[in-house]
Amino acid sequence: MDHDFVSAFIVLLIVADPLGNVPVVLSLLKDVPRQRRLWVITRECAIATVILLLFMLGGDVLLKAMRLSQVALEIAGGVILFLIALGMAFPGMGVSVASAETEGEPLLVPLAIPLLAGPSALATVVVLASRQPDRAWLWTAAIVLAMVVVWAVLASAQVLSRRLGASGLVALERFMGLLLAAMAVEMMISGVQQVIAAAPHR
């Protein structure tokens, strides 16, 4: 499954799930002084961006070191995305990547990792880099833009929570879960097709 800038941006934005993370962020920052909350969100988004860029740049090296094929990673990435999508569309059925329980000001965990740069996001950037390494600059731009949007949403967490309410946030998250599930299935189909195409014909 080949991606372009728009599709890469959309899938990265969905797996980061900023709207779904609004209640979690509010819970994580409830004991943080109001004047420091924007700084904490900015710092954690920057850390997540750097981690994603490092995985994108080192994706091919990582695959070779672990002796993994691109097809295997694409199918595994699709499975992970599908499980995350289940959790978004049907809370309780999917994989929970983080807990909102923490003490003090969050640093790296759990906001940057795994809420923003979680396994699905990391698998996505590695797949992008390994499948189309000649478009590294495009993936860099998609990662940065997606994280800028994530930052904007999380920085407005309190306003969004008041305006949309719990039901509005849940409805939006389930819709994004549906989109992510479709993308995950497409990734798995693409991987299976490559396996079939590469299999020796009798």
Side-chain angles (χ1 to χ4, degrees):
M1 176 184 178
D2 289 338
H3 288 274
D4 56 18
F5 172 81
V6 174
S7 64
F9 165 73
I10 291 174
V11 72
L12 286 168
L13 187 60
I14 292 176
V15 295
D17 192 17
L19 287 173
N21 286 328
V22 163
V24 181
V25 169
L26 291 176
S27 177
L28 288 172
L29 301 182
K30 67 180 184 299
D31 296 326
V32 176
R34 186 178 298 273
Q35 62 272 19
R36 280 193 59 82
R37 291 177 185 174
L38 182 59
W39 158 247
V40 172
I41 291 171
T42 303
R43 181 190 65 202
E44 299 304 297
C45 286
I47 292 173
T49 302
V50 170
I51 292 171
L52 290 173
L53 290 174
L54 288 175
F55 266 76
M56 183 201 70
L57 295 174
D60 193 49
V61 175
L62 182 63
L63 286 180
K64 290 178 180 177
M66 299 182 68
R67 297 184 179 180
L68 296 174
S69 67
Q70 295 177 5
V71 175
L73 185 65
E74 184 161 10
I75 294 175
V79 172
I80 292 174
L81 290 181
F82 188 75
L83 292 174
I84 299 297
L86 279 181
M88 294 170 66
F90 305 100
M93 288 186 62
V95 176
S96 177
V97 296
S99 170
E101 296 300 324
T102 187
E103 293 183 2
E105 183 178 297
L107 176 61
L108 187 62
V109 177
L111 186 48
I113 301 175
L115 282 178
L116 303 182
S120 52
L122 296 176
T124 299
V125 297
V126 173
V127 168
L128 290 173
S130 62
R131 286 292 306 276
Q132 297 165 278
D134 56 315
R135 294 187 173 184
W137 63 272
L138 206 62
W139 311 144
T140 299
I143 290 170
V144 172
L145 181 58
M147 295 309 298
V148 167
V149 174
V150 169
W151 172 85
V153 172
L154 297 185
S156 308
Q158 288 185 319
V159 175
L160 289 172
S161 182
R162 289 197 302 267
R163 294 285 177 86
L164 297 177
S167 59
L169 290 173
V170 168
L172 286 173
E173 184 176 15
R174 289 183 177 177
F175 176 69
M176 290 194 297
L178 176 62
L179 294 179
L180 184 59
M183 291 182 174
V185 170
E186 185 66 31
M187 285 180 66
M188 288 186 282
I189 291 174
S190 175
V192 171
Q193 287 176 337
Q194 292 179 65
V195 171
I196 295 173
H201 297 285
R202 295 183 178 180

